[in-house]
């Protein structure tokens, strides 16, 4: 099932399930939240008539650094023995086609295409063997980073935390094997990142076990799993598009802040 969050023609915002593909796709409104068995209201609209929003508004986004060896290597870094995690604020989240705003205080802002895990139930200290039960589904993330500030600050809160620095979308795919998916990032149509999730150093069950040993994960929380090699700067007027096999494409324009 594809789960989305939409602004619909009746003038409201709702969670919805998407049926069908391309021009025939329909969105079916969900009464409350997308966790558990969805309760549908009976209202539906063509996908073309709604606006896709960020598919979830997480209480927190837990990001994993240096989780592709080639990306760690392109910056001269070692691969960490344990997952390197940091937090992006909920206020950094935007949806598909919303503008990434470049802060005037930074001279280099990079794209980082990533597979994102959406948590479906409260979990704490969940073992890797049972981690799949905690997952609602998967979406796409862009871990936008002020690279100059990341380097100068020595910690990543400012560099990763600006408003608009975590695009998510276009929807959540609940039926997906994430172990070996193609991941590609394009900037103005030029391929910049081209890898597969099988190259993740710390695999998804292990990430959930590790993160949940540190903090309680709540329904809707998002873990972004790391970015492959090929990250690079964006400038105002460009378009960044991240495609993950089995999910779709998340596209966002870039604008001056």
């Amino acid at each position: 099932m594809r789960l989305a969050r939409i602004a619909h023609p009746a003038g409201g915002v709702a969670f919805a399930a998407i049926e069908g593909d391309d021009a025939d796709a329909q969105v079916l409104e969900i009464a409350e939240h997308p966790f558990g068995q969805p309760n549908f209201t009976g209202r539906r609209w063509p996908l073309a008539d709604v606006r896709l929003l960020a598919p979830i508004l997480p209480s927190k986004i837990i990001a994993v650094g240096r989780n592709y060896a080639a990306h760690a290597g392109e910056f001269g870094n070692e691969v960490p023995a344990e997952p390197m995690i940091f937090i992006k604020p909920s206020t950094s989240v935007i949806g598909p086609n919303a503008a990434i705003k470049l802060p005037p205080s930074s001279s280099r802002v990079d794209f980082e295409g990533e597979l994102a895990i959406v948590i479906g139930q409260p979990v704490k200290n969940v073992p890797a063997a049972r981690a799949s039960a905690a997952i609602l589904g998967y979406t796409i993330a862009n871990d936008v980073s002020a690279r100059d500030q990341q380097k100068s600050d020595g910690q990543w809160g400012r560099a990763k935390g600006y408003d608009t620095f975590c695009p998510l979308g276009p929807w959540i795919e609940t039926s997906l094997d994430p172990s070996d998916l193609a991941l590609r990032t394009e900037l103005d149509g030029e391929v910049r990142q081209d890898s597969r999730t099988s190259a993740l150093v710390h695999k998804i069950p292990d990430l959930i076990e590790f993160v949940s040993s540190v903090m309680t994960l709540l329904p809707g929380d998002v873990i972004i799993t790391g970015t492959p090699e090929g990250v690079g700067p964006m400038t105002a007027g460009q378009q960044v598009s991240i495609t993950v096999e089995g999910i779709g494409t998340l596209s966002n324009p870039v604008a001056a802040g």
Side-chain angles (χ1 to χ4, degrees):
M1 181 183 292
R2 287 177 292 168
L3 298 171
R5 192 169 144 268
I6 61 167
H8 55 68
V13 171
F15 288 105
I18 300 174
E19 282 190 349
D21 295 302
D22 303 324
D24 296 327
Q26 297 274 313
V27 293
L28 285 64
E29 186 181 41
I30 294 173
E32 295 175 345
H33 55 71
F35 308 107
Q37 186 64 35
N39 180 20
F40 294 101
T41 67
R43 297 200 297 180
R44 63 168 61 212
W45 303 275
L47 178 59
D49 290 351
V50 306
R51 179 164 58 92
L52 291 172
L53 308 173
I56 203 73
L57 294 177
S59 75
K60 54 187 173 291
I61 304 106
I62 304 96
V64 183
R66 303 175 188 170
N67 203 25
Y68 286 80
H71 170 60
E74 72 182 342
F75 286 100
N77 296 312
E78 298 292 328
V79 175
E82 292 185 308
M84 176 187 292
I85 62 172
F86 57 95
I87 299 288
K88 291 175 78 82
S90 59
T91 48
S92 66
V93 172
I94 56 173
N97 303 311
I100 299 167
K101 299 291 184 68
L102 304 178
S105 59
S106 175
S107 61
R108 174 172 168 170
V109 176
D110 285 8
F111 56 82
E112 295 191 9
E114 309 199 11
L115 175 69
I117 308 161
V118 182
I119 298 298
Q121 61 179 284
V123 287
K124 174 68 175 168
N125 293 322
V126 62
R130 298 209 309 268
S132 61
I135 299 170
L136 174 65
Y138 301 89
T139 190
I140 304 170
N142 188 347
D143 178 18
V144 181
S145 306
R147 193 69 68 201
D148 53 340
Q149 294 174 1
Q150 182 181 9
K151 182 177 180 180
S152 66
D153 290 358
Q155 53 80 32
W156 302 355
R158 178 169 68 136
K160 302 279 193 173
Y162 284 99
D163 291 355
T164 76
F165 269 30
C166 191
L168 294 175
W171 41 65
I172 299 164
E173 177 56 66
T174 64
S175 301
L176 189 68
D177 178 355
S179 59
D180 186 28
L181 303 174
L183 188 159
R184 184 179 70 252
T185 302
E186 298 180 4
L187 189 65
D188 285 346
E190 180 182 343
V191 176
R192 297 297 184 88
Q193 295 181 285
D194 192 3
S195 187
R196 302 192 71 86
T197 57
S198 52
L200 285 167
V201 176
H202 302 288
K203 307 303 184 184
I204 286 170
D206 299 316
L207 291 177
I208 293 175
E209 177 179 302
F210 182 83
V211 174
S212 71
S213 74
V214 177
M215 64 192 77
T216 299
L217 293 170
L218 300 175
D221 282 351
V222 170
I223 301 173
I224 58 177
T225 57
T227 196
E229 72 277 13
V231 302
M234 306 174 289
T235 58
Q238 292 189 299
Q239 181 95 1
V240 59
S241 298
I242 303 161
T243 301
V244 174
E245 181 182 2
I247 301 177
T249 299
L250 169 66
S251 292
N252 297 90
V254 183

